[in-house]
Amino acid sequence: MRILFAVVSIGTFLLIPSLLAQVGARGGKHDKKIEERVEGIIARMTLEEKITLLGGVDDFFTRPVPRLGIPKLKMSDGPLGVVDYGEATAFPAGISMAATWNPDLVKKVGEAVGIEARSKGVHIMLSPGVNIYRAPMCGRNFEYYGEDPFLAGTMATAYIQGVQSMGVVATVKHFACNNQEWDRHNVSSNLDEQTLREIYLPAFEMAVKDGRVGAVMTSYNLVNGVHCSQDRHLITDILKGEWKFDGLVMSDWGSTYDGVAAALGGLDLEMPSAAHMTIDTLIPAVQSGRIPVTVIDDKIRRLLDLMFRFGFMNHDQTDSTLPLFNPDSRLIALLAAREGIVLLKNDHHLLPFNRSRIRSIAVLGPDAHPAVTGGGGSSQVQPYRAVSILDGLIRFAGDQIRVFYDQGINMWKDDIFSQSEFSPDNPGTDTGKSKTGLTGEYFANADLSGSPLFVRLDEHVHFDWGAGSPAASIPADSFSIRWSGTMKAPVSGRYEFMIRANNGFRLWVDGKSVIDFWENPGVATKGATVDLTNDKPHKVRLEYCERTGTAEVHLGWRMAQDPVRSEARKLARLSDAVVVCVGFNPQTETEGADRTFALPPEQELLIQEAARNNNNTVVVLTCGGNVEMLRWIDSVRGLIHCWYPGQEGGTAVGEIILGITNPSGKLPASFEKRWEDNAAFNSYYDNNKDKKVEYSEGIFLGYRHFDKEKIEPLFPFGFGLSYTQFAYSHLQIKQEPTGGGQNVKVVFKVKNTGNREGAEIAQLYIHNPVTRVARPVKELKGFAKINLKAGESRSVAIMLDDRAFSFFDTTKNTWTIEPGKFEILVGASSRDIRLNGTVDIRK
């Protein structure tokens, strides 16, 4: 499959050319000598040695076999940078990369990641992630490349090519249909074959065929009732069979559930260790004939072949000539942040701020400072340095503009969990020294059933057990606790209770349920406000269950406070303009859990209060996708989406707000007005509690759904504003003869009709108006990012091949072109088509 995009001008990128020459590119095609060496090693291996190689060791390594010269391979999490082994450059999130619509820039990011990986001796990067943005709440959307498979595949291919050009293996993940984090170990993504092939697999297919990715990682979830790590249809039939993938298939960490089924299904490597694909499990299966030894040999062959192709067998992967702190990586991170930021609203051209009229700015909100570089989970990078939005605005404001700051809302701090006082119901029965706290009943199961293993008094509920449990007798990932006691309100009034926990929790105050999040599979924070009097103790009961992942639970209370700080209101009223920085962070948008669609209520109130006190209010969103905006969007004049912009994001935001940089990012996902407008609204969660999520929308996801149902999105796919304007003209469609396939060349002109330099992202969509199967109104099949000076025009050419005109025909189990006239639509977004024409496609 050919990558169909054009980047006409991408500016100047610096990436230490001398280092590129030193590192060189590996991972090339197979040759006869490699095959002979691999087969020679396999012939000398015992069955025990082979099976030992099928499981990882020490969290992020493959096992070595010293007697045969097989080295240990070192891995690192991604995709926002080299996560493990100390500080590293924090690059913008994947969805921010997609918003650049600039594959050349994304390739530069991949190169920079590869260089840092080499400096740390990393052989395999566990990135990129390419799962499709199906709904805005998915806790891992920020790692991925948006809702469109063509855009996602193009960006992923560029990233892979960049990483692997540095002699580091890239790993495309999570294969497949990992489109929610809610209960990800147990939920089955159920969908038809056409939807699977047209929406959820093309990015993986492009990564394999165009990017020649070295490794593929399977996902936690099931697809049509089968765990992906043992899904023969996905791994053996499609990935290794149809696509001819010759690399390594590994499990996500802890996502292998049956050793024999995984081995037969096509999994090559279980990570982080062999829990199921073990000697005890697989040797009897081989000896009994359930697993042919050729199946085991193929797995070893793939691992060894990867080692030889990338040169791991004969060189030290750690390159001491490469600096751990690379200033060029910082520059790439800044360029990527600049191009990924999307300007969504700019009423009356408020932005960029006019220095002659805007002499003071109030910067408010929890995401203004310190910097929020990325979401949470395994992708979170600890940067050497990070620039907050406040830092960026101060830097570029200069002497002309005064910048004031307030966090805006009365935020909860962790010390509240260690300061909240409780008393046991019956302190006389406690054997400990302390007579304050809550009585905890600890159960060796996740549903509080039976008798507790032990009972103790806990002075505070402020625990983080990591991957462990409260005691050796308590099994990790399968325990529950009930705390009970009382608290005394110092004065009568309204009080706030707050819980932060990983997995389920629920709280009662005076016998009334005030928080119920028992089905929560990940980390979440929930609060409740209740009226209390000071004339009596108030009964408190907290229940907690741990089913998966790490274990933590925290409980605190305080007198209710005005969510918006009075200092913030005052600054908004007295300043010429307000920048409100809201959104999520690594604790509230993270792997392992889904987030809410709406912003936290106190953040919405802050926006509303800022806008009420100042007409020149701009909101900057930090999050992995859309949020509910209807309660505040009409009251603000400016809206900027900066996603998770990496360590240099604050600089980029400051440049855009103050006019140093012209925004050029465009949305890689449709932004709905209401959650009810989303295609997955009726089928995103496990509504029937049967662990099955039906992809009932089929291929009509994102803009395809909005087009089909004639629903107006809040902001359409491909939308983004600039400080200049662009005009389209001179569309030409030419069919060029090839060796039997289609080769259509689409040419058009784009002109910058404004008064400053800027970049436009022109998008090409295709529609087949007459088909025997239901097709979308339009589908993205090409795009071009064009940088133009004021008044400049330029021709753009985009090539289309067979695949651009095909659909997956389930009756033939192949991609098919239905001959006829196809519409070519060119425009500035999926809802802003400027040019159209037709082409007659015949077989």
Side-chain angles (χ1 to χ4, degrees), residues 591-669:
E591 174 187 357
D594 281 357
R595 64 161 169 87
T596 59
F597 182 40
L599 292 170
E602 63 273 16
Q603 293 189 20
E604 289 194 347
L605 186 58
L606 174 63
I607 296 170
Q608 293 163 353
E609 287 295 291
R612 187 175 66 83
N613 283 278
N614 195 306
N615 290 328
N616 294 329
T617 295
V618 174
V619 172
V620 179
L621 283 174
T622 302
C623 51
N626 190 23
V627 299
E628 191 172 22
M629 302 186 199
L630 292 187
R631 287 185 289 270
W632 52 265
I633 184 66
D634 291 337
S635 66
V636 302
R637 289 179 58 186
L639 175 60
I640 293 172
H641 206 312
C642 72
W643 314 103
Y644 288 104
Q647 67 178 51
E648 307 300 324
T651 298
V653 172
E655 290 177 342
I656 286 171
I657 288 176
L658 294 171
I660 297 162
T661 293
N662 190 352
S664 64
K666 293 197 175 186
L667 291 180

Side-chain angles (χ1 to χ4, degrees), residues 126-172:
L126 305 178
S127 57
V130 300
N131 294 105
I132 294 298
Y133 178 119
R134 184 168 178 250
M137 294 86 71
C138 177
R140 222 162 175 178
N141 274 338
F142 69 91
E143 295 186 35
Y144 304 145
Y145 293 117
E147 74 181 34
D148 184 81
F150 176 79
L151 177 63
T154 301
M155 294 303 180
T157 296
Y159 178 92
I160 291 163
Q161 290 171 342
V163 170
Q164 295 195 162
S165 72
M166 297 298 106
V168 177
V169 176
T171 307
V172 66

Side-chain angles (χ1 to χ4, degrees), residues 101 471 480:
W101 297 65
S480 53

Side-chain angles (χ1 to χ4, degrees), residues 55-71:
V57 66
D58 299 333
D59 293 332
F60 283 93
F61 294 85
T62 63
R63 291 181 178 274
V65 183
R67 80 173 186 90
L68 297 174
I70 300 175

Side-chain angles (χ1 to χ4, degrees), residues 191-205:
L191 68 170
D192 62 85
E193 190 73 10
Q194 182 186 5
T195 301
L196 178 70
R197 297 301 192 111
E198 292 192 16
I199 303 296
Y200 297 98
L201 292 191
F204 290 100
E205 184 179 1

Side-chain angles (χ1 to χ4, degrees), residues 143 183 193 206 228 243 246 272 280 294 305 309 343 362 394 417 438 536 682 696 811 819 824 833:
E143 295 186 35
D183 205 10
E193 190 73 10
M206 293 172 74
C228 290
W243 299 350
D246 55 10
D280 291 341
T294 54
D305 181 75
R309 281 168 49 200
L343 178 61
I394 290 173
F417 300 126
L438 295 172
K536 64 175 183 178
N682 291 315
S696 57
T811 65
I824 305 294
I833 301 301

